[in-house]
Amino acid sequence: MTVVLITHNSAIAPMANRVIHMRNGSVASIDINPSPVSVEELEW
């Protein structure tokens, strides 16, 4: 399953396998998260 979530809320990034940062309509960086956390572990 693939889920694409577009947000300005960086607090949810730790649960992602991969975070793609965009700047001016282009990919600025791609971060791979080797150990994503569950939604229950997120701190809002």
Side-chain angles (χ1 to χ4, degrees), residues 22-37:
M22 304 290 293
R23 184 169 307 269
N24 298 325
S26 298
V27 174
S29 65
I30 300 174
D31 300 329
I32 305 297
N33 185 359
S35 44
V37 300

Side-chain angles (χ1 to χ4, degrees), residues 10-28:
S10 61
I12 62 174
M15 69 183 231
N17 294 324
R18 181 176 298 142
V19 178
I20 302 171
H21 299 273
M22 304 290 293
R23 184 169 307 269
N24 298 325
S26 298
V27 174

